[in-house]
Amino acid sequence: MGACQKDFESAVNQVKLLKKDPGNEVKLKLYALYKQATEGPCNTPKPGLFDLINKAKWDAWNALGNLPKETARQNYVDLVSGLRSSSDSSSQVKSEADKKRAGYDTLVITSEDCITKIMLNRPAKKNALTTQMYREIMLALEAASKDDSTITVFTGNGDYYSSGNDLTNFTDIPPGGIEEKAKNSAILLRDFVDCFIDFPKPLVAVVNGPAVGIAVTILGLFDLVYASDRATFHTPFSHLGQTPEGCSSYTFPKIMGPAKAVEMLIFGKKLTAGEAYAQGLVTEVFPDSTFQKEVWTRLKAYSKLSQNAMHISKQIIRNHEKEKLHAINAEESRILQERWLSDECMNAVMDFFSRKAKL
Ligand SMILES: CCCCC/C=C/CC(=O)SCCNC(=O)CCNC(=O)[C@H](O)C(C)(C)COP(=O)(O)OP(=O)(O)OC[C@H]1O[C@@H](n2cnc3c(N)ncnc32)[C@H](O)[C@@H]1OP(=O)(O)O
């Protein structure tokens, strides 16, 4: 049955109430159908070549040829009804997404203003990364890569960004013994870092406080690193009998030059936020008192940029060296698997828990 005049008038009013701009293509369709429904086939002279907007409107109307008024009215009503239901369902999805994401014990994940925020949430343990946390982060990244956000942000809850690998990861030994533990840990580490190498959207670290170990090395795979002036950056691998991970054996020398990378990765020099900025690891440092406000204002503005352009640009930048990064990750993980079995590494972990050593 065709749409009656009342349905058509109601659809015309609903267009004015749409919450989301339907885009130029749809607006042209609506214009053309409206003109056809109210005036019949296009009856005005073609606008000049440089009168771009009126020419596009005229073309759209003229393209409807001799479509009967009745059919144009019906098509208009159908088009508006489709727009309303998609805008209703997208606002429903948005309000769901705005809520805290369920199913994560160690992270708080929220989506707002086209930004998905992944917050490490073990403040009492300085956001040390347990095996459960590595797994949840991988799941969160997988979900963020598919959601409708444009930017993904990592941050920490509490005074630390993260104190790196939770050293209890080395203390709960499975029935297969320490070798099995080291093997499983190397697989988990490799999978974890692979997720960062392959992550398709702009990835931002909001480093709210000190960062240690893997929480620092992985920053070399982020696109922006904003730091509070309270943050520090520490990779004490030689103190722990360990070696670099997170592709930092490649990204750090590339970012800061070999000499400075060696100071951090071999000699465990702890950097202030200002030093990390000077060496290119950090994009910008903000005073702690205004850190959150300044950073989120900046990120909200960035999140409105073209999603496709940002994602394609990231792929162009990353694709040059993706294969290389995966190979480096595999090699670093393999070497660490051996290091974790060393006396030096085991003693360092025991010293921490017997309170003999702290960084
Ligand atoms: C799948 C495996 C992948 C492995 C990838 C490899 C990664 C390598 C690394 O990440 S190396 C870095 C490892 N991290 C550390 O060695 C840090 C150890 N922690 C410290 O030195 C200190 O805790 C500190 C300097 C970070 C903070 O000192 P502070 O005095 O301010 O606070 P506390 O020591 O009292 O810490 C509060 C509680 O948090 C526990 N905790 C902190 N960090 C860790 C950690 N990394 N692992 C386990 N637990 C940690 C700490 O024990 C306190 O707990 P408690 O209150 O129960 O005593």
Side-chain angles (χ1 to χ4, degrees):
M1 210 169 52
C4 66
Q5 185 61 24
K6 210 166 145 225
D7 293 338
F8 177 66
E9 281 164 14
S10 152
V12 171
N13 285 330
Q14 282 161 11
V15 168
K16 296 174 195 147
L17 300 174
L18 282 176
K19 289 183 194 129
K20 206 173 137 200
D21 185 329
N24 288 339
E25 204 180 319
V26 174
K27 282 197 271 196
L28 277 177
K29 267 191 205 154
L30 286 169
Y31 168 81
L33 288 169
Y34 178 85
K35 293 295 270 183
Q36 193 85 7
T38 52
E39 295 180 34
C42 184
N43 55 9
T44 57
K46 186 173 183 172
L49 203 58
F50 297 107
D51 188 0
L52 294 177
I53 295 176
N54 284 323
K55 187 173 170 302
K57 286 164 123 183
W58 187 90
D59 285 342
W61 183 12
N62 191 49
L64 295 180
N66 287 323
L67 188 77
K69 278 186 172 181
E70 173 80 353
T71 314
R73 217 160 55 186
Q74 179 65 54
N75 291 358
Y76 186 96
V77 170
D78 291 345
L79 180 56
V80 173
S81 145
L83 290 174
R84 283 191 59 220
S85 58
S86 81
S87 118
D88 287 353
S89 64
S90 80
S91 63
Q92 201 178 333
V93 169
K94 188 173 181 320
S95 67
E96 285 302 313
D98 283 347
K99 288 184 203 150
K100 180 174 171 271
R101 212 70 54 77
Y104 295 91
D105 290 335
T106 63
L107 310 173
V108 175
I109 301 178
T110 44
S111 290
E112 213 180 337
D113 296 315
C114 293
I115 301 174
T116 291
K117 180 170 85 170
I118 300 173
M119 184 164 71
L120 309 172
N121 191 34
R122 292 181 74 223
K125 298 285 181 183
K126 311 289 182 196
N127 297 320
L129 300 163
T130 57
T131 52
Q132 181 188 6
M133 223 154 159
Y134 289 112
R135 293 206 175 89
E136 288 193 1
I137 291 170
M138 289 193 277
L139 288 175
L141 284 175
E142 170 75 10
S145 73
K146 294 187 187 136
D147 70 16
D148 60 3
S149 65
T150 49
I151 292 179
T152 304
V153 175
F154 264 81
T155 193
N157 187 12
D159 60 341
Y160 259 65
Y161 176 68
S162 167
S163 62
N165 188 43
D166 190 305
L167 297 173
T168 61
N169 289 340
F170 296 124
T171 57
D172 60 330
I173 306 301
I178 183 89
E179 282 82 7
E180 185 187 317
K181 179 80 203 177
K183 186 171 164 226
N184 292 342
S185 299
I187 293 170
L188 180 59
L189 172 64
R190 184 175 169 179
D191 290 349
F192 176 76
V193 176
D194 276 345
C195 288
F196 285 83
I197 296 171
D198 292 331
F199 192 69
K201 299 180 179 180
L203 195 56
V204 181
V206 171
V207 186
N208 53 299
V212 184
I214 191 166
V216 177
T217 55
I218 203 79
L219 294 176
L221 297 173
F222 277 66
D223 302 296
L224 285 175
V225 179
Y226 290 143
S228 148
D229 58 8
R230 233 176 31 79
T232 52
F233 299 82
H234 195 190
T235 48
F237 299 128
S238 301
H239 300 70
L240 298 167
Q242 297 189 40
T243 46
E245 79 297 281
C247 293
S248 58
S249 61
Y250 170 72
T251 57
F252 277 29
K254 196 174 150 212
I255 290 168
M256 57 187 80
K260 292 296 180 188
V262 160
E263 264 194 316
M264 281 191 83
L265 297 176
I266 300 187
F267 297 108
K269 182 179 176 192
K270 189 198 280 189
L271 302 190
T272 62
E275 288 166 338
Y277 168 72
Q279 290 172 19
L281 182 62
V282 162
T283 313
E284 194 165 337
V285 182
F286 300 82
D288 194 55
S289 54
T290 55
F291 179 58
Q292 297 293 341
K293 188 166 174 279
E294 290 194 59
V295 159
W296 288 103
T297 305
R298 184 85 58 92
L299 291 176
K300 276 177 196 169
Y302 286 170
S303 73
K304 294 191 176 65
L305 297 173
S306 158
Q307 180 169 28
N308 287 335
M310 285 198 285
H311 295 181
I312 294 167
S313 298
K314 171 152 182 177
Q315 299 320 311
I316 298 171
I317 296 166
R318 180 52 55 86
N319 283 348
H320 289 304
E321 51 182 13
K322 220 180 215 182
E323 233 174 273
K324 189 169 194 166
L325 289 168
H326 283 301
I328 289 159
N329 180 29
E331 180 68 351
E332 287 177 348
S333 303
R334 187 189 64 72
I335 292 170
L336 263 175
Q337 181 178 339
E338 289 167 16
R339 290 310 308 159
W340 290 327
L341 298 174
S342 71
D343 287 347
E344 292 163 332
C345 180
M346 287 187 215
N347 289 338
V349 173
M350 281 182 332
D351 282 353
F352 174 70
F353 286 111
S354 60
R355 303 291 176 223
K356 277 197 231 146
K358 204 175 258 193
L359 297 173

